[in-house]
Amino acid sequence: MYKAFRWGVRLIMAAIVGVVLIGGLIYFFASRSLPDYDATYKVTGLTAPVEIVRSTEDVPHIFGKNDPDVFFALGLAHAQDRLWQMTLMRRTVQGRLSEVFGQETLKTDELMRRLGLYQAAVDSVASQDDYTKAALQAYARGVNQWIQIVNEGAMGRGAPEFFLFDSKISYWTPADSLAIMKLMAVQLSNQLQDEVLRARVSLAGKDLVRDIMPDDPQQATAALPDYASLFPTMQKGIQTAENGAPGAFSPFPERGSAGASNAWAAGPDRSAAGGALLANDPHLGLTAPSIWYLARLQLQSGGVIGGTIPGMPLVLSGRNKDLGWGLTTAYVDDQDLHIEEIDPDDSTKYRTPDGWKHFKTKRVIVEVKDAKPVTLTLRWTDNGPVLPGSHFDLATVTPPHSVMSLSWTAFDPKDTTMTGAMDLMRAKSIPQALDAAKEIVAPAQNITLADKDGVALVTAGKIPLRDRANDTQGRMPNAGWKPENRWKGALPFKDNPQFVEPKSGIVVNTNNKTVDRPFPYNVSFHWGDTQRIQRLSKLMGEREVHSRDSFISAQLDTVSPAARGLLPLVGANLWYTGDPAPDGTPERMRQRALEMLASWDGEMSEHLPEPLIYAAWMRELQNRLIRDELGPLAKKFDHLEPLFIERVFRDTQGASHWCDIIQSAPKETCSDIARQSLDAALLDLSKKYGPNIESWRWGDAHVAEQDNPVLGKVPGLKWFVNIRQSTSGGDFTLMRGRTKGGDGPDRFANVHAAGYREVLDFADPDSSVFIISTGQSGHPLSRHYDDLSELWRSGEYIPMSLDPALARAAATGITHLVPKGAAQAAN
């Protein structure tokens, strides 16, 4: 027995030593890819020495003799910190994820191959101006130089994720940077999803679209035709989607998550210090690392500083000495779905205004890890690529013997968006910035501007010109063979919304409607916000002059105008009714919840229970209102639609009929449904958070989920690489934190927020502040992987100056890049 015990101890000790040794080896190889920021590298592709001065927060300040050398160094810095992220984004656009991840990403690859966005990027390289071509080429050389340094120095393949896959790292090309811009267009547009959903709701019942997907109430719009009347062969009723879920790593956002941002600016006359002010916080899906990366470039035109996206040689949002700019998604309706009728006698042809025409076709092979390659036959019509019915639930709205095609400005093979962005980054004034905006095609963005003289806002991007006789005005799929449904080009740039030197001295945008023009000059029927703009307009208007601090306060504001508007409406007949119920009963819990909500000001603070009660109540209320009319389609509306709730409880155009449950014999009133919904929500919350309603916290449910897309899925490892933080805000606050939705236990998690924030003050430019949501590095072993995340969570910022002396004085490392053959001179 003693001998067996002794051998057991030995085996356990051996196992422990083995685990430690294996862990040590994993750490050793993973840590090899941590870059040394205080090193000198002899490189090819430079004309003169370059310095990359790293701040305490790992922000690179790049100094070179000419612009191509600076872009070279930016490419190298991006690759040092985010090589895996860049590679993953490139593979996504190329439709080559399955070579690495296998069959789980095959659906995503199929879609991206059919869209052909990478080929459009390749084609558009030739359309860039000479300066942009030189920048793209230099940036690619910088990325590739770091890949070469990693390979020659055995530096852990450049990132820990590369150890999980045996594929080689392809060298970067100028087209790859343009492809990342195309990926941004994908992530910032979901008009086609709305077209499909609007058509599905139309098939479900008359006038349902008018209530559940209303147009902006400030805009008078002619009623849409029933979808079934356009395509009589379509079966009426709720159509069930088969395999409509997106593939793994799909870049297409869920409905309502196609970019949501805030930007506003105040001219010198509205500034307490006499200099223009500008704030910007673009909202995208939260990841670890963040998609954003802070950088400062010293160009021949002067210094430029702000937010970049690894893969592109651009400061997308930021400032130079003379100009500041910020971006918000413009919600331009730049996508149209078309029904393409197939020739019943020849499936290789489709119907056009001039008769039957052959599809343009091409066969491609998708390599799949650990499986046989898949051959796809790609098809195009005059309107655009043909999409399979398995994507975006297209099969539910596609008539028999037809397919669906897509028109989209992002398909433009002569897209000069990169050139326009380069010009914007070097513009010295608002007029020069407006000239730069003319070159932008996709994604369409509202650009907020500020210079020493004033402020402006312009919609940059191509706006499709549709025929007045278009069947659906771009709001639902239309008959692709009708000439009136085909695009007639684009609106001239002068017709894009522009607001230059407004009398108020302030411009604001929260993805709200920017113009009220009749179709076909209306820009869009679907806008990204009707709520945040109310709060921002109030904050901007209640002060005669503003300061950097007042702009920061507005950027971090967590008051929900939706809550302030809906609670008095929904609870009108519930407040202070009935005698106090006994403690411990559902009635008493309801009464206590109503008492708390009645005195709540709508602030979505992580420390309060009221935001959680409100969010759960409105979610349950909307679900009860729509689930009998929409059936399975109700799952598509898993986020609160404030305009819908308002229509129902105000009985706008008879919308209160949604309150009556069709299957029940009694006729329920809206007050009945409101009371039942609150009771159900409180019961659900008490099961998870306990019976003491005062101890509930919104932050326990509204946790920011910043997950590493690959390592974050590895059991055990995910606890170290995924970032979790309690946060304030909500779906309709200026400090927006869009909830996950759905039926899961983490339905209120914060998954889509401002991964980048900036506040610029031209009265004292060096006091301008910036922040990203994670850290600069994508390497989980780096101290810069999440060192900015707590600052971001608590509403703090870091200063970033264009003063070279300040950058060098605070440097924690300086990387010297020396052209090969010039090392002796540099030393």
Side-chain angles (χ1 to χ4, degrees), residues 120-262:
V122 172
D123 294 340
S124 63
V125 171
S127 298
Q128 312 308 313
D129 66 11
D130 291 341
Y131 181 90
T132 303
K133 289 177 184 176
L136 292 169
Q137 292 163 358
Y139 180 86
R141 290 196 301 271
V143 176
N144 296 335
Q145 184 64 67
W146 181 250
I147 295 174
Q148 184 176 336
I149 290 171
V150 167
N151 291 337
E152 291 175 353
M155 298 172 62
R157 301 200 69 196
E161 290 91 342
F162 287 113
F163 281 112
L164 301 178
F165 312 102
D166 57 7
S167 58
K168 294 182 179 179
I169 307 173
S170 301
Y171 282 119
W172 202 262
T173 70
D176 295 339
S177 294
L178 299 181
I180 302 303
M181 185 70 81
K182 299 290 185 186
L183 187 63
M184 294 301 100
V186 171
Q187 294 177 335
L188 297 175
S189 183
N190 65 1
Q191 297 282 357
L192 74 90
Q193 288 100 314
D194 279 321
E195 285 193 35
V196 173
L197 187 56
R198 198 173 282 112
R200 294 184 71 187
V201 174
S202 177
L203 289 171
K206 190 176 187 300
D207 294 335
L208 297 183
V209 173
R210 181 187 63 191
D211 292 333
I212 194 65
M213 299 182 72
D215 297 311
D216 192 303
Q218 300 179 36
Q219 176 175 284
T221 305
L224 271 174
D226 289 338
Y227 191 66
S229 69
L230 299 174
F231 304 101
T233 57
M234 278 298 305
Q235 180 180 352
K236 290 187 177 183
I238 299 170
Q239 305 301 311
T240 303
E242 296 183 8
N243 195 27
F249 290 101
S250 172
F252 281 87
E254 295 183 4
R255 180 176 178 269
S257 298
S261 312
N262 304 312

Side-chain angles (χ1 to χ4, degrees), residues 424-438:
L424 173 63
M425 184 172 64
R426 295 175 293 133
K428 299 293 187 182
S429 64
I430 287 175
Q432 289 184 19
L434 295 176
D435 284 339
K438 295 176 183 178

Side-chain angles (χ1 to χ4, degrees), residues 726-758:
S726 167
T727 56
S728 299
D731 288 345
F732 305 105
T733 57
L734 287 174
M735 194 177 82
R736 181 177 180 270
R738 183 169 172 82
T739 52
K740 180 181 287 187
D743 296 324
D746 56 351
R747 62 180 71 104
F748 297 124
N750 179 1
V751 296
H752 193 277
Y756 167 80
R757 298 184 186 125
E758 70 176 17

Side-chain angles (χ1 to χ4, degrees), residues 310-482:
M312 295 188 290
L314 282 175
V315 173
L316 282 162
S317 178
R319 76 172 183 94
N320 56 40
K321 180 177 176 293
D322 304 295
L323 180 76
W325 63 97
L327 305 176
T328 52
T329 301
Y331 275 79
V332 167
D333 187 2
D334 55 7
Q335 296 176 329
D336 267 4
L337 287 168
H338 308 276
I339 301 295
E340 307 287 4
E341 184 180 345
I342 297 176
D343 185 348
D345 298 322
D346 186 350
S347 61
T348 66
K349 295 180 179 179
Y350 67 99
R351 188 178 176 186
T352 74
D354 302 316
W356 302 107
K357 184 177 182 178
H358 283 285
F359 289 102
K360 178 184 175 183
T361 61
K362 178 183 178 181
R363 292 170 67 85
V364 297
I365 297 176
V366 180
E367 299 290 340
V368 183
K369 181 182 178 182
D370 300 328
K372 294 181 179 179
V374 175
T375 301
L376 301 176
T377 299
L378 313 182
R379 292 186 293 176
W380 291 269
T381 71
D382 293 340
N383 293 313
V386 173
L387 304 182
S390 56
H391 291 278
F392 308 114
D393 301 331
L394 291 175
T396 63
V397 294
T398 305
H401 311 297
S402 301
V403 292
M404 196 81 77
S405 68
L406 175 66
S407 295
W408 189 7
T409 55
F411 296 145
D412 190 341
K414 297 182 179 180
D415 186 345
T416 54
T417 299
M418 186 66 72
T419 293
M422 283 283 182
D423 289 346
L424 173 63
M425 184 172 64
R426 295 175 293 133
K428 299 293 187 182
S429 64
I430 287 175
Q432 289 184 19
L434 295 176
D435 284 339
K438 295 176 183 178
E439 302 296 329
I440 294 175
V441 176
Q445 294 286 288
N446 288 322
I447 304 177
T448 300
L449 301 162
D451 65 11
K452 62 183 179 64
D453 296 319
V455 297
L457 186 148
V458 60
T459 298
K462 278 191 175 181
I463 301 177
L465 178 59
R466 296 174 176 88
D467 193 295
R468 292 180 184 276
N470 187 292
D471 284 344
T472 66
Q473 301 179 333
R475 289 186 281 170
M476 293 192 299
N478 57 42
W481 60 88
K482 291 185 177 181

